[in-house]
Amino acid sequence: MPNPYVSNVFKDLKIFASLSPEDFIAKAKYIDAEVMTQTAIISIDVLRMNTTMLVAAASGVLGISLAVKPTSGDCDLTPPVYGDRPWKFGGEFNGLPIQGASFSNSPLSIPSSNLDGKYIKFFSTNGAKAQAIALEVEASTLFLMTMANIESTVAEVILQKYSSVWFLCAGFYNSPCLEDTVCAGIAINHLSECGFSSNGQIDDGAKICRYTADIYTGKSDRLLSDIYESQVARLLCNIGHSEDVHACITGEGLPLDLYERMTNTVIQLQRSDGFPLLVPITF
């Protein structure tokens, strides 16, 4: 049984943040199950899955199915639901597009993929893990957020009147990463400015995120420079995807009209015929 004294520490908090999925799992056991059913989980994976999914959503995708990336790289390219509707498939394995996929885990691979009016099945590691976590703890819902749609996601969370919000960062191999932490911090500041919570209703993880984001307020060049020197960006540069960093942080390299739609698009987990699908909401 979870320590009741520890559980009491979290009792009156409204904003939580976990800098990795493992951080979430360790903390969630102390949160009352009834509280969790009124909590919106916001998944953050700036480099790169959430940004890639946001580009797809802004390109007209009707629904997104996240599938766990198999360790063998042998992906099942069949629709998980709605077999009579048009589907496309995406993902990467060891930095290369999976065989038979229409796009990779790169936001720059989407614009030419003709996804308008289609459903996609995307093979991922962290994204599928975040979705599985949200379903397992019976949270109210799951949102996908990245740098481009922070304001629209926060606005939707407030509109839907959730009691609490939990930011779940993908991190880097079970550890924190800079870009996800900053992204969460910017969103937490927006929530606070909208009166969602007081400083005393924010857990330590959320405070770490907002204090980190504050360092970069009005210093976008410094943020981009530091991210290029960070863990995930170094990995992307090593596998030939350095241009994805700019695209994920600033939208550089993406069509301007597409990026504008991204800023006005929210991705939320819903159930379609009992099956979990991430569905775009465009304002």
Side-chain angles (χ1 to χ4, degrees), residues 76-92:
D76 177 16
L77 302 186
T78 58
V81 68
Y82 300 150
D84 58 335
R85 302 182 189 180
W87 283 79
K88 288 204 171 185
F89 306 92
E92 285 183 356

Side-chain angles (χ1 to χ4, degrees), residues 17-21 42-51 126-127 130 145-147 150 167-188 205-206 208-210 212-213 216 223 227 230-233 248-249:
S18 293
L19 305 187
S20 71
I42 300 179
S43 167
I44 302 174
D45 187 357
V46 175
L47 296 176
R48 299 169 286 170
M49 195 211 81
N50 286 15
T51 306
N126 286 323
M145 190 178 77
T146 187
M147 289 292 189
I150 293 174
F167 293 90
L168 171 54
C169 300
F172 180 76
Y173 288 89
N174 303 336
S175 66
C177 68
L178 179 61
E179 65 279 358
D180 291 354
T181 303
V182 171
C183 184
I186 295 170
I188 291 163
I208 290 170
C209 291
R210 73 183 304 184
T212 304
Y216 295 102
L223 174 61
I227 287 177
S230 67
Q231 300 158 159
V232 183
C248 291
I249 306 301

Side-chain angles (χ1 to χ4, degrees), residues 14-86:
K14 296 188 67 175
I15 300 180
F16 302 85
S18 293
L19 305 187
S20 71
E22 287 67 25
D23 178 2
F24 179 97
I25 292 167
K27 191 186 299 182
K29 64 183 178 182
Y30 296 105
I31 308 301
D32 186 81
E34 184 177 348
V35 172
M36 198 63 78
T37 62
Q38 302 170 43
T39 299
I41 296 179
I42 300 179
S43 167
I44 302 174
D45 187 357
V46 175
L47 296 176
R48 299 169 286 170
M49 195 211 81
N50 286 15
T51 306
T52 302
M53 294 300 94
L54 185 59
V55 175
S59 299
V61 160
L62 299 179
I64 300 166
S65 171
L66 294 182
V68 177
K69 186 190 303 182
T71 56
S72 65
D74 185 17
C75 298
D76 177 16
L77 302 186
T78 58
V81 68
Y82 300 150
D84 58 335
R85 302 182 189 180

Side-chain angles (χ1 to χ4, degrees), residues 66-137:
L66 294 182
V68 177
K69 186 190 303 182
T71 56
S72 65
D74 185 17
C75 298
D76 177 16
L77 302 186
T78 58
V81 68
Y82 300 150
D84 58 335
R85 302 182 189 180
W87 283 79
K88 288 204 171 185
F89 306 92
E92 285 183 356
F93 187 72
N94 293 333
L96 298 174
I98 60 174
Q99 188 173 1
S102 300
F103 56 95
S104 65
N105 186 22
S106 165
L108 299 176
S109 71
I110 298 290
S112 62
S113 298
N114 186 24
L115 299 180
D116 187 27
K118 297 178 175 63
Y119 292 83
I120 63 174
K121 182 178 181 180
F122 188 79
F123 293 88
S124 75
T125 302
N126 286 323
K129 181 185 292 185
Q131 178 175 292
I133 286 172
L135 293 171
E136 182 177 346
V137 300

Side-chain angles (χ1 to χ4, degrees), residues 147 220 224 245-253 259:
M147 289 292 189
S220 57
L224 192 60
V245 180
H246 257 98
C248 291
I249 306 301
T250 68
E252 182 177 324
Y259 191 76

